[in-house]
Amino acid sequence: MAQDKFLDHLGRPIVAVTGMGVMTSLGEGIKDNWDALTAGRSGIRSISRFPTDHLSTTIGGLIDFAAAPHADVVERSMTFARSTMREALAQAQISGEFGGPLFLAAPPIEPEWQARFELGERVAEADRDSDAYTQFLKLLRQQPDPHFYDQISFGTIADRLADEFGTRGLPVTLSTACASGATAIQLGVEAIRQGRTDRTLVAGTDGSVTAESLIRFSLLSALSRHNEAPEQASRPFTKNRDGFVIAEGGAALVLESLSAATARGASVLGIVAGCKEKADSFHRTRSSPDGGPAIATIRGALEDAGLGEDGIDYINAHGTSTPENDKMEYLAISSVFGDRMPDIPVSSNKSMIGHTLTAAGAIEAVFSLMSLQTGTLPPTINYDTPDPAIPLDTVPNVKRDVPIASVLSNSFGFGGQNACLVMRAEPA
Amino acid sequence: MTDMHPKSGRDVVITGIGLVTSLGVGLGAHVEKLRGAEPLLPVLDFDVLPSHPVHPLPEIDWSGQIPRRGDQRQMENWQRLGVYAAGLALDDAGLKEDLDACAEMDLFVAAGGGERDVAVDSLIVEAARGRDDREIVLNEKLTTELRPTLFLAQLSNLLAGNITIVHKVTGSSRTFMGEESAGVSAFEIAHARIAAGQSTRCLVGSAFVAERPDIMFHVTSLGQNDRALAQSRDPSVRPDGVVLGTVGAFMVLEERSAAEARGARIYATLDAVAGDRGSREENRLEQRLIRLADTVAPEAQAVDLVVSAAPGIPAIDARQAASIDQLYPDATLRRPVTAFGHSVEAQFPLSVALAALAVAADHPLAPLAADDRQGNTPARTAVIAASGMRRGEAMARVSRFD
C-alpha cells in the first residue's frame, strides 16, 4: 500500500514529534536547557522563595526566574505550561487554532496557605470558636469569591490553555503522580492511533514546590538532606544517595501522525514508537520486590514499538536518587536487557534538574528526543561514589557524543504507577 | 483533520455497576426505589455542616470491599468510598475473583483531592492570626503535626492506587482531574480505547464525599449554594442552589465480544461519549449541547430518556433543560441532582449508571423529583446530558442491549 511508510508494525499511524518546549531550573527554552544539561550544570539551589526554618530539607530546583506570580502553584504551573507550549508550537510552525485535543499532566491543586491566612484574619472575633473551615464557610456564604473558586479548581489551568491555543474538545488534566508526564504523552499517542485526531498537544507542568509539599515528602523520608551542598544533592545510582531533590518545570510536545506531518511539510524531530503503562499492586509507595510490574512495563513498551531487547541504544532513567527507586530501576532494566546491560548507557537528568514530579516524564521525553537529534547523551552528575550494587554505565559526570537511534525513558510513581516510552530517530 | 468521533469499530458494553449514594449501598439499595411510581424522597443531613445540607454517606461497613484493616487505615473516606464502589462494580460484573482479567484491566478514575486534616489546618490558622511570621509558624506546625500517611490519603492518584492494591486491577491506571469534566473524560477515553481495540476491559468511575468541610469550602466560594432547603430543613423543598451529595459510582466497560464470550450480563451498550467546553456567553452553552447531541445521538426520535447531569445551579440547569426540551421533546427527563445532590467528579458517572439501569429495566425509571413527569414505557435509548458548575458540557448515549 502506498501509505505503508506512515503505519507502524501493527498497522497503526506512526506518531511523530514536530515541536518541543521545556523549562526547568536550568532555564527557559530548549537551547538554554540543553546547553546547561550537556555541560553538566546543576539547577539545584538553597530555597529562597519562602522561609525554610524548621524544615529538614531546604533545597530544590525551583523556577524563580520566569515571569510567574511566584506565590501561587496554579499560576506557576500555568506559566510553565504556556511558555513551553508556545515554544513547541513555534517549532512545529503551527499558529492559530490548534484543532486537536490537549492532554495536560498537572499537579493536584490545593488552596494556598496565604489564602487560608487571609480568610482567617477576616473571620469575626465572635466566630472563631469552630474549626477553620466552618469559619470560612460562614464567611464565604456571605461573601462568595468565584475567582477564588477558579484558583483552586483542578480544571482551571487546562481550561485557560484550551482557550489560548484553540485545542479541541474537553482538555484532559491528569495525574499519575511522578509518571504523569509520560502518561500525557501516551494519551496523545493513543488518540492519534485511534484515528480520532491527526495531532495532539501534550504537556507536563509542575510548580507545586511549597513548604507543605516539602514537609509532606520529608515525612515519607523521600527527600535528600544534603542541604549544605545543593548542587551535589541529587546523586542517582551512587552509594551515598539519600533521596530525591524536589523541583519545578514544564515541557510540551506537539504530536502528529507522520502522514499529517509529512503532508504539511513539517520537520520531524523524532518518533514516539512505543508506550506502556502497568500498575503495581504491591504497596502505595514501594515497588514489588521482584520488579515484576516495572519489568512488564519496559517489555510492553518495547513490544509496542516492535523492538526487541537489542533495539534500545540509551536509557533516560527515572533515576530519582532515592535508595529505593535506583535499586528497583536497576533490577528492572538489568532483568530486561540482561547481558547487554553493560553496553547500554543509562543517565539521569534528575542529577541536574532534580525531580520535577508531574512534569518529569514530559521533560525527560524532550531531553531524550534531543539526544536522538544531536547524538549527545547528558551525563549523570555527582557520580563520584558508585553504588557497587548498581553496576551501570551512567555516563558519569561528563556528556558523551554517540549517535543513537532509539531511547527508552522510564517513569515510576507513587500509587504503583509505571510508564515507559520508546522513542526513535526515524520510523522503524 | 479526521473526525473526532468516527463510528467505532467495536461495541462497548456496561457489565458491572457499583453504586453507593445517600440512598444506600449497592444496587440492591437502589433498584427497587428506581422502579417506583412515586418520586424518590431524598436523604439529607442538615447538621453535619452548619447551613449546608448534604446528601450524606450511608451507613457502610468498609470491610465488605476492603477486607484488610491495614488498607482501610491508609485511606480516608474519599478513597475508601471509591475503592468500595469499584469493588462493587467488579463483583457485579463477576470479575472480582478473576485475577487474570483484573491484571489486564485498565483503570480510569475521575478524582479531586483527598481529605485535609481539618484539626491541623485549624490549629495553624489560629496560631498564625495576628502574627507577622506566619510562614514560619506554618513550617513549625506542619513539621510537628502532620501525619505522614495523610499525604497519601490526599493524593489524587492514590484513589486509583488503592483500587490497584485492594482489587489487583493492574493494567494501565489513569487519574483525571478537573471537576465535572474529569468524570466525562474518564468515560470518553475508556470508550475510545475499547472501541479502537486498545483495551478489552476498563474499570471507570469516581467518588465524592459531600460532608467534607474542606470540599464545601471550595464549592461555597462560587456563591451558588442552596439557601431554600437549608432554611426550611424540609427534604421535600426544592433547593435553589447547589446541594452536594456523596456518591461512589464505578462501572465495568467491556468490549462486547469479550463480555459475550464469558457469558456476562450486559446492562447496556455505551454507544458514544463526547464533551466540550468554552464560553457560556449568550447562547453558546446551548449551541455546544446541540453540537454534542448531533455527535452522540443524531436520531433524536429514538431517544426516550434523558438523564440530566446538571449541577443544581438554577440558571445553568434551566438552560440545559431548555436545550434538552428542544432536542428531545418526546423523551422523559430525569434529574439525579434532586435525589442525589451534586457529586462533582462523580456526577457524570452516576448519571451513566442510572441511564444504564434504566435501559436494562423492564419498567420506566422512577421520578427523581416531585415535578418529574411519570414515564410511560421502559426506556430503550437514553442520553446523558452534563454541565459543570463552572465549565464543561457533555453528552453520552446508552442503549438497551438485545
Side-chain angles (χ1 to χ4, degrees):
Chain A
M1 287 194 304
Q3 81 273 33
D4 263 4
K5 63 178 178 171
F6 296 130
L7 302 178
D8 72 3
H9 66 112
L10 294 175
R12 305 170 299 189
I14 293 171
V15 178
V17 180
T18 58
M20 305 191 291
V22 71
M23 188 189 288
T24 73
S25 54
L26 292 174
E28 183 165 7
I30 300 260
K31 183 176 186 310
D32 284 2
N33 271 279
W34 192 244
D35 288 351
L37 203 71
T38 52
R41 282 212 295 279
S42 169
I44 310 305
R45 304 282 181 269
S46 287
I47 292 171
S48 58
R49 186 195 295 156
F50 50 83
T52 55
D53 309 53
H54 306 289
L55 306 189
S56 53
T57 292
T58 60
I59 56 174
L62 277 61
I63 297 181
D64 288 326
F65 53 82
H70 283 165
D72 188 324
V73 171
V74 169
E75 293 302 328
R76 281 198 299 275
S77 302
M78 173 75 199
T79 299
F80 307 159
R82 182 168 50 206
S83 163
T84 56
M85 285 180 177
R86 284 179 180 162
E87 184 181 18
L89 289 166
Q91 186 177 30
Q93 297 190 302
I94 292 172
S95 54
E97 297 265 306
F98 181 75
L102 167 63
F103 297 101
L104 178 73
I109 304 297
E110 304 234 30
E112 299 283 332
W113 270 102
Q114 191 62 29
R116 290 195 194 88
F117 290 145
E118 284 167 11
L119 284 166
E121 297 293 346
R122 284 170 51 202
V123 173
E125 294 274 355
D127 291 334
R128 293 182 178 179
D129 53 353
S130 55
D131 71 74
Y133 292 100
T134 303
Q135 298 172 25
F136 297 164
L137 280 177
K138 187 168 181 187
L139 197 67
L140 286 167
R141 203 171 163 81
Q142 289 155 1
Q143 295 170 275
D145 185 353
H147 176 72
F148 180 65
Y149 175 85
D150 281 343
Q151 283 304 101
I152 56 176
S153 293
F154 287 80
T156 296
I157 298 174
D159 198 64
R160 285 157 60 185
L161 294 169
D163 272 337
E164 175 160 347
F165 297 109
T167 57
R168 193 174 53 181
L170 281 181
V172 171
T173 305
L174 68 111
S175 174
T176 56
C178 301
S180 302
T183 302
I185 292 170
Q186 182 161 9
L187 279 159
V189 168
E190 282 172 3
I192 291 172
R193 286 176 175 174
Q194 285 160 5
R196 300 168 76 204
T197 182
D198 288 334
R199 61 168 66 152
T200 62
L201 185 57
V202 302
T205 186
D206 202 318
S208 71
V209 178
T210 61
E212 182 166 348
S213 64
L214 274 164
I215 291 163
R216 288 178 179 183
F217 279 114
S218 287
L219 287 170
L220 296 174
S221 306
L223 297 182
S224 170
R225 296 182 177 208
H226 284 304
N227 296 321
E228 68 295 340
E231 299 186 350
Q232 294 164 35
S234 185
R235 25 198 328 106
F237 309 120
T238 63
K239 198 166 184 221
N240 53 357
R241 67 186 189 276
D242 72 332
F244 74 80
V245 175
I246 198 167
E248 297 178 324
L253 299 93
V254 176
L255 305 180
E256 290 186 76
S257 71
L258 183 62
S259 65
T262 305
R264 71 178 187 91
S267 297
V268 172
L269 309 174
I271 302 295
V272 186
C275 7
K276 177 69 179 179
E277 282 177 292
K278 179 87 185 138
D280 187 337
S281 64
F282 179 68
H283 188 268
R284 286 161 189 84
T285 58
R286 297 205 308 274
S287 305
S288 296
D290 66 358
I295 291 167
T297 309
I298 296 169
R299 290 207 168 116
L302 292 174
E303 189 184 331
D304 196 49
L307 296 175
E309 285 85 30
D310 57 352
I312 294 296
D313 297 335
Y314 162 62
I315 298 174
N316 185 308
H318 190 54
T320 58
S321 184
T322 62
E324 164 85 10
N325 173 81
D326 295 2
K327 185 176 73 172
M328 182 282 294
E329 189 167 11
Y330 171 71
L331 170 65
I333 58 179
S334 60
S335 301
V336 172
F337 295 102
D339 293 345
R340 274 199 72 226
M341 201 66 251
D343 303 326
I344 305 177
V346 181
S347 69
S348 168
N349 303 153
K350 293 187 181 76
S351 62
M352 292 170 277
I353 62 171
H355 190 352
T356 54
L357 306 173
T358 308
I363 290 173
E364 290 160 24
V366 166
F367 291 148
S368 297
L369 287 154
M370 287 301 292
S371 287
L372 287 168
Q373 278 202 304
T374 62
T376 299
L377 310 182
T380 303
I381 68 164
N382 301 318
Y383 192 72
D384 47 18
T385 324
D387 183 342
I390 305 180
L392 287 174
D393 169 7
T394 62
V395 193
N397 304 315
V398 180
K399 70 167 180 176
R400 185 179 305 163
D401 291 322
V402 49
I404 56 166
S406 60
V407 48
L408 169 71
S409 178
N410 292 334
S411 295
F412 309 115
F414 283 177
Q417 308 269 190
N418 301 300
C420 292
L421 303 173
V422 172
M423 287 157 282
R424 294 175 57 89
E426 303 284 342
Chain B
M1 201 75 26
T2 49
D3 182 4
M4 187 84 170
H5 300 280
K7 179 132 181 70
S8 57
R10 293 166 178 79
D11 290 339
V12 181
V13 296
I14 298 170
T15 58
I17 300 176
L19 209 51
V20 178
T21 74
S22 52
L23 294 191
V25 176
L27 291 183
H30 291 87
V31 168
E32 277 307 307
K33 292 170 185 163
L34 291 172
R35 65 185 301 156
E38 291 302 309
L40 288 186
L41 190 64
V43 176
L44 286 154
D45 185 321
F46 291 96
D47 299 313
V48 62
L49 296 174
S51 304
H52 297 270
V54 294
H55 302 258
L57 184 73
E59 191 174 317
I60 189 165
D61 174 9
W62 299 118
S63 308
Q65 289 294 342
I66 312 172
R68 291 182 52 215
R69 304 284 296 179
D71 284 333
Q72 291 180 32
R73 276 198 302 271
Q74 291 285 327
M75 301 179 238
E76 298 291 324
N77 276 354
W78 169 64
Q79 291 176 354
R80 291 182 191 123
L81 177 61
V83 173
Y84 193 100
L88 289 178
L90 290 171
D91 260 341
D92 189 48
L95 292 169
K96 189 70 175 296
E97 311 303 327
D98 189 337
L99 293 180
D100 291 339
C102 288
E104 294 300 317
M105 191 178 292
D106 295 304
L107 176 59
F108 292 85
V109 175
E115 284 87 343
R116 292 192 61 89
D117 189 325
V118 171
V120 172
D121 286 356
S122 301
L123 181 85
I124 295 170
V125 169
E126 182 58 36
R129 276 198 177 109
R131 295 276 291 260
D132 56 10
D133 59 347
R134 295 188 297 203
E135 289 180 302
I136 292 168
V137 173
L138 174 69
N139 291 357
E140 186 187 347
K141 296 293 180 195
L142 282 177
T143 45
T144 52
E145 302 293 336
L146 268 189
R147 280 179 292 136
T149 53
L150 191 70
F151 181 23
L152 299 174
Q154 283 176 305
L155 270 182
S156 298
N157 76 301
L158 259 288
L159 169 47
N162 279 294
I163 290 171
T164 295
I165 288 170
V166 173
H167 303 309
K168 309 299 173 199
V169 173
T170 57
S172 66
S173 162
R174 287 149 183 196
T175 295
F176 294 158
M177 307 182 298
E179 291 71 43
E180 295 89 348
S181 296
V184 176
S185 294
F187 278 85
E188 185 179 15
I189 291 178
H191 179 271
R193 286 197 71 181
I194 294 174
Q198 291 171 342
S199 176
T200 305
R201 294 187 181 92
C202 296
L203 178 60
V204 189
S206 185
F208 182 83
V209 175
E211 49 268 73
R212 285 174 52 186
D214 49 350
I215 287 283
M216 189 62 84
F217 161 59
H218 183 190
V219 172
T220 300
S221 64
L222 192 53
Q224 298 288 348
N225 286 14
D226 157 81
R227 288 169 191 269
L229 183 64
Q231 271 161 19
S232 72
R233 295 176 68 90
D234 174 357
S236 67
V237 166
R238 190 175 189 81
D240 61 355
V242 175
V243 176
L244 296 180
T246 290
V247 169
F250 272 81
M251 269 150 276
V252 174
L253 307 186
E254 281 187 87
E255 200 270 309
R256 187 182 74 177
S257 65
E260 287 176 329
R262 68 180 187 90
R265 182 239 353 248
I266 293 173
Y267 285 101
T269 59
L270 178 62
D271 302 309
V273 187
D276 203 356
R277 40 69 60 200
S279 164
R280 288 175 165 177
E281 299 289 306
E282 295 173 2
N283 65 344
R284 288 157 99 171
L285 182 155
E286 291 82 354
Q287 288 175 339
R288 197 153 48 241
L289 283 171
I290 289 166
R291 275 200 309 277
L292 291 167
D294 193 46
T295 305
V296 306
E299 293 175 38
Q301 68 282 1
V303 176
D304 40 26
L305 171 69
V306 177
V307 177
S308 158
I313 295 176
I316 302 292
D317 292 25
R319 292 174 69 179
Q320 197 206 66
S323 301
I324 291 168
D325 193 48
Q326 185 189 336
L327 287 160
Y328 307 110
D330 301 326
T332 304
L333 177 65
R334 290 290 180 263
R335 288 163 292 186
V337 73
T338 324
F340 300 96
H342 185 47
S343 53
V344 195
E345 292 89 3
Q347 190 74 348
F348 187 78
L350 168 69
S351 301
V352 174
L354 295 174
L357 289 170
V359 298
D362 56 5
H363 53 79
L365 184 61
L368 301 181
D371 51 354
D372 274 356
R373 245 187 317 149
Q374 189 79 39
N376 296 322
T377 53
R380 295 190 58 85
T381 302
V383 158
I384 300 101
S387 300
M389 286 185 285
R390 192 68 162 159
R391 61 175 65 93
E393 271 69 46
M395 291 272 217
R397 175 166 55 100
V398 297
S399 302
R400 177 174 300 199
F401 180 80
D402 46 23

